[in-house]
Amino acid sequence: MSNTIGNNLLHQSLLYPTVLEHQGRINSSTCIGGNTFFQSQATSLTQKSSISTEFLGNRLKVRRHKLKMGKCCSSSRSRSTRAVLAADPSSGLTEKFNLYQNVELQVDVELPPSGSTSVVNIQVTSGIDSLLLHWGAIKSHTKKWILPHHRPVGTTVYMDQALRSPFEKSGSNAVLRIEIDDPSIQALEFLVFDEARNKWYKYNGGNFHVKLPKRESRSPNVSIPEELVQVQAYLRWERNGKQNYSPEKEKEEFEAARRELLEEISRGASIQDLRTKLTGKKDTSESKEQLVSGSKSSIPEDLVQIQSFIRWERAGKPNYSPEQQLKEFEEARKELQVELDKGASLDEIRKRITKGGTQAKVSKQPEKKNYSTGERIQRKKRDVMSLLSKFDSVPVEEKISLEPPVLSAIKQFAREKEDHIDGPIVNKKIYKLADKELLVLVAKSSGKTKVYLATDLPEPVVLHWALSKIPGEWTAPPATVLPLDSVSLDKAAETKLAIISTDNQPDKVQSLEITIEDDSFVGMPFVLLSGEKWVKNGGSDFYVELNTGSVKNKDAGDGKGTSKSLLDKIADLESEAQKSFMHRFNIAADLMEQATNGGELGLAAIVVWMRYMATRQLIWNKNYNVKPREISQAQDRLTDLLQNVYKSSPQYREILRMIMSTVGRGGEGDVGQRIRDEILVIQRNNECKGGMMEEWHQKLHNNTSPDDVVICQALIDYIKNDFDIGVYWKTLSDNGITKERLLSYDRAIHSEPNFRREQRDGLLRDLGHYMRTLKAVHSGADLESAIANCMGYKAEGQGFMVGVNINPVSGLPSGFPELLQFVLTHIEDKQVESLLEGLLEAREELRPSLSRPSDRLKDLIFLDIALDSAVRTAVERGYEELNNKIMYFISLVVENLALSVDNNEDLIYCLKGWNQALSMKKSGDGNWALFAKSVLDRTRLSLTSKSESYNQLLQPSAEYLGAQLGVDQSAVSIFTEEIIRAGSAASLSSLLNRLDPVLRQTANLGSWQVISPIEAIGYVVVVDQLLSVQNNTYSKPTILVAKSVRGEEEIPDGVVAVLTPDMPDVLSHVSVRARNSKVCFATCFDPNILASIQASEGKLLCLKPTSADVVYSEMTDDELLSSTNSKDDVSSAPSLTLVKKKFAGRYAISSEEFTNDMVGAKSRNIANLKGKLPSWVNIPTSVALPFGVFETVLSDDLNKAVASKLDILKRDLDEGNVGALGEIRNTVLELSAPPQLIKELQEKMQKSGMPWPGDEGEQRWEQAWIAIKKVWASKWNERAYFSTRKVKLDHDYLCMAVLVQEIINADYAFVIHTTNPSSEDSSEIYAEVVKGLGETLVGAYPGRALSFICKKSDLNSPQVLGYPSKPIGLFIKQSIIFRSDSNGEDLEGYAGAGLYDSVPMDEEDKVVLDYSSDALINDSKFRHEILSSIARAGSAIEELYGSAQDIEGVVKDGKIYVVQTRPQM
């Protein structure tokens, strides 16, 4: 409706006799707005008469004048077009108006004897039952309609400018009673609106005006104490839902509170009565004395209010009770009185507290948290380690029975039928019919569609069925389709199912086969008649799709790695769960005990099931009418149980958060029922009862779902964007709702929204409120509703609605509400830095409360989930603004992720690393980018580890349940991936990808790290893991692009280059073997370059690496042939042979006895170093079990059975059964130790000064013996076996000595190559250093070591190339290590080093590393000393041997120990 703002005001005094004259159609513009009367621009009703009223004394005199339409009797004198009814104070007034034909309006104004309340009775003499009074009240000196607090039942607020009250039926009339208890209201104005006919009843195109009698105040001189006004205003604020008022609104509320108290005074209440009512206590003599004292001091109340406000701020803005507020007022008054007593004047006090004196002091209080727009919060300093969440939780694996499950008669029938179907199966469903089943199987065979039905219902079954060309329609099947003995009906057919014989099933099976040749049919609706009972699908027809185009789902498998029994139960209950959300949530609640007992795997089953529900892979509702209240109660029940597990089993909190974020919060109070009720209010308030809104109302009435949140948002977006219907559909589409989905609801939504522009403001207001209700039930991650739920709110409700009252959660930190308000204020800021700081501060403040028991714990969890979600959203929105602050943003997101996950130790150390990198950058440290790159690499590894743990936990359950429930295979395959994408980890990964090239450029790292700089030409092959293809043989020269390289793999035959984004150490086994095999090996850090090479899969590329780059280009096959021919004259590598070693008659020897015939090069080289190096280079004591000991032990009579078993297994291996390798290793572990071996080994170890394990007990010797056997068994590990086979070494000739050394519990371990392996620069030493034992350096442990180079000409100037990113260090107590030392490890031209195992007697402890406290990183002087010492040791050993060396050693307490050396290959 269109309105104008004008000044068609009434006469200033409405107490004088007033004459109203009809103006007809002259200048009838209506008046609306902040300061005008409201009137609809509807068609004016035709008036048959105009009324002139005159008050003479106490008697009303009514005169009627007949006027013609269009005439104006005194238009020059009339200023407005409205009827005025004035009442004498001492009597009532009755007046009648003719509205239309025989419809009359009668208005009665009466004043009860008490004189406190005016009553206006309005009656319409008509049978119309859809009348509303559109009205407001007028106060003195204002033109604006005000909306009285006291309203008739059913009254609604219209656009915040008028009230609408429904008339009630009274016989044939419509009546309405309005009571006005506000003495400041002088008049009422109204129109009558027929809602059903959209028709307005006015007086001559204007408002009806009813002047109320003036009331005499009983206590005209009473002044209400300001503290009582303050309490009353607080109660009004609570009553109105604790809204955020503007300063103007606050003033209005204070005056309204004052008027309410004055009204009570006018009714006879005393100040003492008011005080008792407001505080709940009677006045004491002390308080009376205070009041007297206060009045004597004449301290203005505004100063007392300011002083009490300052006290409130100083206390941290607590929520005071009314009684506490009164006390605060009196304390403030006392403070001011003290100043007066000391001689200060009121003016001085006023200047001080209003011009900053006290305010400045208040602002310095640490408790004050006043966050205004544009400010940034001051984050508290916290110990990052307080975030640690570490649990030794091991998944409870169900024992899966190896016996095949007993199949039901229907499942057995389905299996047999599937075995005989020659075409694809496009649909398969097994419905639960109580304790019976129904199978529907659809297959394509020879161009025809075949439908197989089978059931084990005991009664004879008749299929009542049809075919559909449009989904869901019933069309009679053609005669050519009908099976034998079918009966045709109108739009359907009936066919009996036949009983088939089953030899091995006790239950009889009835089945039917239907063949359909017409491809135009898309589905088959049907029901069953079993005996005399109709069987339906949860109250609806069965419907099977015939042309889904899908293929048979992946087989469910054996359920390994899942809580199989629970998943089977979920699958059995799914048909019941599909009835409604209420059913599903109640079933989930029933299963929670079993899920909790199943540990992580049991809870993973619930996550998977709820996630399939949330992503609409499962049916939400099958035409089952459920009240929203019942849905929210079911959610409450489930989330209460989840809350209890969260309290009792903290190790499962991360997975419980997953479930809760999927389920949604549910409703407290009666918030669920409000979903159904409030849509009616929206329709009524905004006159939108038909079309799309009515269809949505019907859908909500039947069953609400999370889709309703999206629909509501789509409507809001549509209205905000100038009613652009395209925006409506875009919002729906972006959130997965299509037109087809809207039509698929049991109560379908067919129409589009079509609102009028004048409905805009009211709809935006009401839909905005409605969104809070929807999100309160359906959303677990909506921030606004989560905050409201924890901070408390009150919604009074309207008309028949009962309202909601949510109490605030108790025990929250001081200042927390203000912090959340800051977050809400900035939640949509484009500059997100302040918002992210606020969100993280809120999560940090909330975190302790999440670990404490509380009956409202789940509300806090949902708030934390919502804050977490808001961080992700903010990062994505602010992605473009990051620029120079990207490292700081990453630190915030890492902190957020650490707050969200369990076992977060690695993430916490990553966070410490980012903070250190920021500090280095700020201080101007030149290595900041190099260090930050190592932290970035480690953070990526941490994300990868978390992703792998999710995949291991969730994906098996997703695949098993997905197969059971027929979930689309594409949704099953990406299940875990989508969960990861929905979390903060995905945002963090994007930030890391953006920062990586910046750091590489700043640190001059380039896009490549070249490990083996060999030119290569080959065809590109892309693989996921090098490990998965290490045993392959490629017939053509191949460039492998492997996404994962662990560090201990073999290079496959035929491979000329390996390129990877992974980060194997330059000195790892695979790196060494690549260089020895003359294979190009490089890490590519630039994802764009790597993607370009991957896109060349199948093409021929030429790689030309330098020490820091790889240039690549495409080649033709002819160029490859030319290149190959040019190399034909190159002599091939000499063939490799092994000399079989013999047993020399001794089981153990000392290092002085190490010879070529007794031990390998590893043992000989370490013995050769003794006494020949500087004294500061330490060599550990060594003994050995020489060559031939293994074979001698095997031939001992003690081990005849083992030897016989090994012979059989080795023959299997020779015949190509590589699976025998594992069995051989296990068989070696069965060997028994001859007594002579034990005796000799003990003697040699003790004479060398080494501890003898047996001195600590028989068990310790057994540990040592097992370690020795593991070294021997490693002769048959896959990596070594395939490596020797490729170079045609005789595996039987491979002999294994065992080098025995005392383990040094190292601080650091290192590997040195005395010639730089990447550049082949012999003037430069290259070394890598790790914390703890060296196995993390040479084995398959992710991350990089600290790497450095050092010129031999200046061994005191090491240059760090890269800081460490390895997350794990290995540490061990004082122990013994048994090292492999074969005769095949150091053959010229063969990279045999590292193929076999070294085994410590005791298991190493895996420790998550904190580099922020590591002196090697933080202390430049210490780092320089250690790295220089390592370089000098390497140079000394190279000088001793006269050739480049590959050296391993450790650092302990600053001392260097060398544990082995060999020629560098």
Side-chain angles (χ1 to χ4, degrees), residues 830-833 878-884 889 994:
K830 290 185 178 178
Q831 303 294 320
V832 299
E833 183 177 352
Y879 189 73
E880 296 305 320
E881 73 156 281
L882 305 178
N883 299 328
N884 295 329
F889 275 67
R994 181 166 173 179

Side-chain angles (χ1 to χ4, degrees), residues 245-285:
Y245 288 149
S246 65
E248 293 78 11
K249 183 64 176 174
E250 283 187 8
K251 291 179 182 178
E252 287 183 17
E253 283 296 304
F254 265 81
E255 291 310 310
R258 192 188 308 278
R259 285 194 300 272
E260 289 178 349
L261 296 179
L262 284 170
E263 176 65 18
E264 295 197 42
I265 292 291
S266 71
R267 294 173 185 165
S270 66
I271 296 293
Q272 181 56 48
D273 294 335
L274 295 182
R275 189 179 302 278
T276 301
K277 174 186 174 182
L278 293 175
T279 64
K281 292 185 178 181
K282 294 183 178 180
D283 202 0
T284 63
S285 59

Side-chain angles (χ1 to χ4, degrees), residues 245 289 579 697 945 972 1012 1060 1079 1325 1419:
Y245 288 149
E289 290 172 2
K579 289 181 178 179
H697 164 223
S945 175
V972 173
S1012 176
T1060 180
V1079 170
I1325 289 174
D1419 187 336

